[in-house]
Amino acid sequence: MNANMMQQPLLISTLLNHAERHHGDQEIVSRRVEGDLHRQTYGDLAQRARRMANALVANGIRFGDRVATLAWNGHRHMELYYAVSGSGAVLHTLNPRLHPDQVVWIADHAEDQVLFFDLTFLPLVEAIASRVKTIKAFVAMTSRDHMPASSTIPNLLCYEDLIDAHSPEFTWPVFDENTASSLCYTSGTTGNPKGALYSHRSTVLHTYATALPDSFDCSSRDTILPVVPMFHVNAWGLPYLACMVGAKLVFPGPWLDGKSLHELFETEGVTMSAGVPTVWQGLLAHVEANDLKFSTMKRTVIGGSTCPPAMMDAFEDTYGVQVIHAWGMTELSPMGALGKLKGKHAGLDAVQRRALQAKQGRSPYGVDMKIVDEHGGELPRDGLTSGELMVRGPWVIAAYFKGEGGDPLAYFGDEGWFPTGDVATIDADGFMQITDRSKDVIKSGGEWIGSIDLENIAMAHPAVAMAACIGVAHPRWDERPLLVVAKKPGAEVTREELLAFYNGRIAKWWTPDDVAFVDSIPLGATGKMLKNQLRETFRDYRLPN
Ligand code: AMP
């Protein structure tokens, strides 16, 4: 029997309509590349997005066309989030931290029709403009008075000219909620990057789930500063979430150093933020060095790679900022799990609580997780047994864009689960803990050693800025762990001191065999350690006997 309920498609434009109607005077503050601090309201956002939608149509952008951006977090990027997807085109956020050759490859693969860019990326756009095959127009996201005096870029348009030239009257089209809305490519640490093509439906459902109290816990009383870039998995969905709940938004532009962020947190009264551990490291260093505090910040989401427990200690114990450890993937839109404690955990002591928070967390409604052995057999949820993490849900991809890489769900036969490539445990309460990436696992004498545990311990040493643990060939054990360490500026620590630091903290045989000191650990375009590059650098490394 069919129900009698309305069939209203879940469209991204409805988030904007809601924000305009119910939170029209709420503020969006942006530090812009032009150097100013810009303020507008959700009412302005909605009006400008409609003007831009008219501009897109006038410039020949049709339903389903890919519209690319190379841009920081800012109000114009937000306008494009809604103008492009709302009008039925597909927003493709390019990652400017990639090598220009990779940007060209991805833009061609996506068949982008137009590219919007922040002025910061003018040199990058000049380098790729004659190489990209499908882009017909380039739009500098600035006003006429900041347009480059001369440029080799063909068909270069000005964003504010487009806004001024087009009417704010535009009716958002209504279409099937399964229509593609945005496209993000994976970091591509192996092989070519692959595209995750999200739908309006998957995006709206993901937005509901991320706003929940056991997720980001956001409301109209929040002031949200997304540090995670809008070119990395849609800033974890925050541009959509902010419209859904009507929160004040603060965009940091390109200024992601500790000093700039802390200033903005304080002057704009930020209550909630989100980003990868490397950014928070810079922020904490600045706050510690200058004896500052956070007067309005209540919580921050930390994810993208493991949040070192030492970072949680600093945020929670020293500064009173709650850390929400989160796990996700481009392929999951990205939210998969969050480390929020349950009511029954209220009685835990500080050490037990921190151990639970260090896990990557439990899934919100909408994400189903399990761990499996090498044949696809489900493993127990006992918090001890580890296996490959499989996920499914309405905001998990079913295939990569253009079918690249075959059918990912057919990994262990056609079961409808997405293999994450992460190795994890799941406990009886549903708390998942990543112990490794399947390709980062160190296998010593047939037993797995979790490189993340080894890194977390090293990172807790006061002299260590960053630590990576990789497996290197060993004649007897096949592989043994090598700890690669970048020291904090001016800090001193010896190999022996670091190895002794593991005593009593870990099974003896897990202790790394050696320590290699480096100036810096190579990071990928999304802030993750490039372990494959380290493995290459240390391929012929000879461990001491
Ligand atoms: P990306 O698609 O670039 O967001 O990368 C997704 C991958 O990042 C996951 O498969 C994990 O390996 C890693 N990752 C994300 N969040 C975490 C976390 N909280 N702890 C450990 N690894 C994480």
Side-chain angles (χ1 to χ4, degrees), residues 310-322:
M311 184 173 281
M312 281 184 197
D313 292 344
F315 267 119
E316 298 210 336
D317 302 343
T318 313
Y319 298 108
V321 176
Q322 183 196 8

Side-chain angles (χ1 to χ4, degrees), residues 101-118:
D101 291 350
Q102 251 182 328
V103 175
V104 170
W105 189 92
I106 293 174
D108 286 350
H109 188 268
E111 298 172 64
D112 293 330
Q113 299 298 305
V114 53
L115 170 62
F116 287 79
F117 64 96
D118 269 336

